[in-house]
Amino acid sequence: MVVFKCDIEKFFAIEEWEIQIDWCLGEMAQEIEKISTEPARIKNLEFWQLYAGIHQTVDGCFSGLINGIECCRLQAVDSSFWNISGSMEFEKHMERMYGTYVRPSA
């Protein structure tokens, strides 16, 4: 998520995040996992301060909210890829920046 922060801020003025994290690695990981086993809402600034030390999200979902309405969603899947949704412009930007997920050949 930290890698995506500038990208998100180019497109949205997020007020709150609704997060549900199954597993993450880094500073404050256990605390984050504990508060977000069920979906939890956190103010934008507080979220970035809390998540600043996380270097990997294995499974988790992050919904960016404006006026209580979801404007983007970033979902870490198995630490192997991210499902990203939002405006068409945002999705295209993220695809240009980070590429599309391609399943490895068996």
Side-chain angles (χ1 to χ4, degrees):
M1 277 299 288
V2 175
V3 170
F4 302 142
K5 183 178 189 294
C6 289
D7 299 297
I8 295 164
E9 290 175 345
K10 285 180 187 175
F11 289 88
F12 307 106
I14 302 296
E15 296 170 351
E16 274 186 308
W17 287 95
E18 183 172 277
I19 65 171
Q20 187 168 8
I21 314 300
D22 294 332
W23 187 17
C24 59
L25 301 171
E27 185 179 330
M28 302 287 291
Q30 289 180 336
E31 291 85 347
I32 292 167
E33 291 170 4
K34 185 183 289 186
I35 65 169
S36 65
T37 55
E38 296 294 322
R41 284 196 176 185
I42 301 174
K43 296 289 183 195
N44 185 57
L45 181 59
E46 183 183 342
F47 168 74
W48 290 116
Q49 290 171 341
L50 182 66
Y51 223 74
I54 300 300
H55 56 83
Q56 184 176 12
T57 303
V58 179
D59 282 305
C61 187
F62 306 84
S63 296
L65 308 173
I66 300 174
N67 294 324
I69 298 170
E70 181 179 280
C71 61
C72 64
R73 178 181 292 213
L74 297 92
Q75 183 175 10
V77 180
D78 249 1
S79 84
S80 58
F81 69 98
W82 289 80
N83 281 326
I84 296 175
S85 62
S87 67
M88 186 177 293
E89 294 83 10
F90 177 64
E91 290 179 17
K92 285 181 180 181
H93 168 81
M94 296 299 277
E95 187 175 319
R96 277 193 309 273
M97 290 296 294
Y98 303 101
T100 56
Y101 175 70
V102 178
R103 287 192 185 276
S105 302

